[in-house]
Amino acid sequence: MSVKRFLFVCLLVLVVSWTILYSFALALPHIARAQDVRFTCTEFIGYSQTNQWIPTAAVIMNNGGQDRVQLRWQSGGDAADWANPNYVGWTAAPQNPCDVGSATPDRVILDVTHPIYLTPANTGGDPVGYSESIIRSAVATIRQRKPSATTILLQPVVGGPNHATCPWAGAELGLNRASYNHPFIHQAIGRVVGGDVGFGFDSQVAACSQYSDSIGHLTSGGITTVGQAIGVYYRDLGLALAPTTTPV
């Protein structure tokens, strides 16, 4: 082999090696945040809409590692139900239990909804205050039922795009209930967070057409959109709230 050919081959090997190493270096940040290992077991608490998107979100959050996500839900399980320490949902087994710590989850994420439209008439003139009071009671019950949880996150029902309300023919107020209530719940959560209680993901559909009914269930497209967004958010440590044992 000539000297020139030898040098050319050496140069080619160096270029290829550098390209591979550079690509690997770029991937490192993603690998580092691929699974939120701060928590052994995250328990989502919710209702039928939660049950729709949780399979997609959990796969993304686990990202090929051990199962760290489980769901505790009941059909119609609104925040007032979960505020009741004797609610049947508390004694039912969780769905898809975590590989480790299923009975003692160290993070709980409450998906907040209400069974009524949060109108002034339905809430004593204060939709946000009404929701806040129920959420605070639910947080207190979570502390009682899940004392192992060092972090509690509050996530509103899936809202309309950019917090907009979505028209729905034949529905009360002519509006989709989830989209109507979402902004009030979002504001109420803002009043409750502090200490070991934080904001969860602000979930929203990409378009009103991703709702399948007047109360807020999702179409298959909506399930994919919302589930992926929620999963990526928690997988990538979107919430910068470190675990703490300091109560509110």
Side-chain angles (χ1 to χ4, degrees):
M1 179 183 295
S2 66
V3 174
K4 287 185 177 180
R5 185 174 180 79
F6 176 77
L7 291 176
F8 174 79
V9 172
C10 290
L11 179 61
L12 182 62
V13 171
L14 286 173
V15 171
V16 172
S17 300
W18 181 88
T19 301
I20 293 172
L21 289 172
Y22 181 72
S23 299
F24 181 74
L26 288 177
L28 283 177
H30 172 74
I31 293 171
R33 65 176 188 265
Q35 191 180 48
D36 188 348
V37 296
R38 295 176 303 159
F39 303 102
T40 301
C41 182
T42 293
E43 180 169 289
F44 283 86
I45 296 177
Y47 42 97
S48 54
Q49 189 196 73
T50 322
N51 186 50
Q52 285 189 291
W53 51 252
I54 193 67
T56 301
V59 167
I60 295 173
M61 290 172 68
N62 290 327
N63 203 31
Q66 70 180 46
D67 286 342
R68 296 174 179 267
V69 180
Q70 64 186 29
L71 172 64
R72 180 174 300 280
W73 76 288
Q74 291 287 306
S75 180
D78 61 84
D81 287 327
W82 294 111
N84 177 5
N86 298 315
Y87 181 50
V88 64
W90 288 117
T91 55
Q95 182 172 296
N96 189 41
C98 297
D99 287 344
V100 178
S102 177
T104 55
D106 47 3
R107 178 170 65 174
V108 170
I109 301 177
L110 176 65
D111 190 8
V112 180
T113 195
H114 299 291
I116 60 172
Y117 284 77
L118 298 179
T119 64
N122 287 337
T123 60
D126 185 6
V128 177
Y130 173 90
S131 181
E132 176 192 358
S133 177
I134 293 173
I135 294 170
R136 288 189 182 278
S137 294
V139 169
T141 301
I142 291 171
R143 294 193 194 285
Q144 175 186 341
R145 300 294 311 205
K146 299 295 174 181
S148 57
T150 59
T151 295
I152 299 171
L153 303 185
L154 304 172
Q155 177 171 306
V157 62
V158 177
N162 299 315
H163 293 219
T165 52
C166 293
W168 199 276
E172 184 179 341
L173 306 181
L175 298 169
N176 176 277
R177 192 180 74 196
S179 71
Y180 181 86
N181 286 349
H182 177 92
F184 297 116
I185 296 172
H186 188 271
Q187 293 177 61
I189 290 173
R191 295 181 179 181
V192 176
V193 297
D196 61 349
V197 179
F199 253 112
F201 184 65
D202 183 16
S203 53
Q204 303 166 33
V205 293
C208 291
S209 60
Q210 290 188 332
Y211 287 121
S212 66
D213 59 24
S214 64
I215 63 176
H217 290 109
L218 305 172
T219 63
S220 58
I223 291 170
T224 299
T225 296
V226 173
Q228 288 180 346
I230 292 172
V232 169
Y233 178 83
Y234 290 118
R235 182 201 67 190
D236 290 355
L237 310 184
L239 185 73
L241 178 66
T244 175
T245 56
T246 304
V248 174

